Amino acid sequence: MIPLKSDEDLQRLSKSGKILSRVMASLKEVILPGVLTSEIDALAQRLIVEEGAKPAFKGYKGFPAAVCTSINEEIVHGIPGKRALCEGDIIGIDLGVNYLGYFTDAAVTLGVGLVDPSLLKLVEVTKEALVEGIKKAVAGNRLSDISHRIQDFVEGNGFSVVRQFVGHGIGLSLHEEPEIPNFGVAHQGPILEKGMVLAIEPMVNAGSWEAEILPNGWTAVTKDRSPSAHFEHTIAITEDGPQILTN
Ligand code: MG
């Protein structure tokens, strides 16, 4: 069963999402050559706590940080550390906030300094794929209408969608039902209803869709080491269409 949220739940989730988007805006400002990924993480932790919330990822299944920082061929779940950002990198920042037990999740991919136009296109297509997917998050549609639209848009632009990781329901915990693949045929799965809250998150590779996990047990990379981009928003399905909670 996909849990439905009350109007009161949605108000609290909206506060959680606002905190997340303020923190994300501050993180974006420090994405510069020479910055360590551990510094991005430390800033995220401090700002989340200052907002009266908790980092949702820290300690989740043992994850050691408040943000995931995934650079170039890293798809998701990069662990912040002593790596410095380099001019021309792209970095995905994935951030989860727990505000009084209400969870939101969002990700962006940003260029570091001057970035090759082909990489910028990958980033832009991934960002637009999220927008296109969100447009299908409408009561009465079926879940895979979101998945299909993302795949169609990404492949139409010559890129591939990751199969191994998917979006998810969210709200009173970080991961709830349903799973939301970024691929599949349309008009399948549960009918979308008002009160559903979903984290939609296309992960898009410049080369093959295949992924593998690094020996640290967390970081997913493209098997062919081609670059990858990731965008995510937490959205609520309302009577007036999809409401993005994390912007
Ligand atoms: Mg997520």
Side-chain angles (χ1 to χ4, degrees):
M1 282 296 292
I2 301 174
L4 298 179
K5 274 68 180 181
S6 67
D7 289 345
E8 198 181 11
D9 289 335
L10 288 178
Q11 281 173 15
R12 289 177 181 159
L13 283 164
S14 177
K15 283 188 183 167
S16 174
K18 290 266 184 298
I19 292 169
L20 191 156
S21 68
R22 283 195 291 271
V23 173
M24 188 70 94
S26 299
L27 298 184
K28 284 180 183 176
E29 289 176 18
V30 303
I31 302 305
L32 296 165
V35 171
L36 304 181
T37 52
S38 59
E39 293 173 325
I40 302 166
D41 182 54
L43 178 61
Q45 294 218 36
R46 179 168 66 77
L47 294 175
I48 292 169
V49 170
E50 280 176 10
E51 292 269 10
K54 293 180 196 164
F57 296 168
K58 188 151 191 176
Y60 181 81
K61 294 184 179 172
F63 191 77
V67 292
C68 303
T69 49
S70 305
I71 298 171
N72 299 337
E73 76 281 2
E74 296 174 351
I75 301 169
V76 285
H77 305 159
I79 301 175
K82 293 296 161 209
R83 182 169 179 178
L85 301 182
C86 294
E87 179 102 21
D89 283 345
I90 55 170
I91 177 172
I93 300 174
D94 195 349
L95 176 63
V97 163
N98 168 3
Y99 174 67
L100 306 176
Y102 289 82
F103 289 79
T104 50
D105 190 357
V108 298
T109 298
L110 302 164
V112 181
L114 268 181
V115 173
D116 188 90
S118 66
L119 278 178
L120 290 178
K121 189 189 173 199
L122 173 71
V123 170
E124 208 45 46
V125 165
T126 310
K127 189 178 186 179
E128 281 179 50
L130 174 58
V131 172
E132 291 299 311
I134 290 171
K135 284 183 194 166
K136 297 291 180 182
V138 171
N141 275 357
R142 286 184 182 267
L143 184 68
S144 83
D145 292 327
I146 300 170
S147 312
H148 178 73
R149 180 61 191 140
I150 291 171
Q151 181 177 22
D152 196 48
F153 183 81
V154 167
E155 292 182 353
N157 279 281
F159 299 126
S160 66
V161 288
V162 172
R163 310 292 200 269
Q164 203 168 334
F165 301 93
V166 296
H168 49 94
I170 186 169
L172 304 186
S173 60
L174 184 58
H175 291 107
E176 299 180 356
E177 285 191 53
E179 291 194 341
I180 311 168
N182 296 301
F183 58 94
V185 292
H187 313 310
Q188 306 290 313
I191 295 172
L192 301 178
E193 288 178 52
K194 172 183 181 285
M196 289 179 179
V197 176
L198 307 174
I200 301 174
E201 48 177 325
M203 289 152 263
V204 175
N205 298 348
S208 152
W209 56 266
E210 290 172 284
E212 60 190 25
I213 310 290
L214 292 183
N216 68 22
W218 278 106
T219 309
V221 296
T222 55
K223 205 167 177 184
D224 61 9
R225 302 300 189 265
S226 66
S228 184
H230 178 210
F231 280 84
E232 176 177 25
H233 270 309
T234 297
I235 65 108
I237 295 175
T238 76
E239 282 162 351
D240 306 318
Q243 179 194 356
I244 299 175
L245 299 173
T246 43
N247 75 2

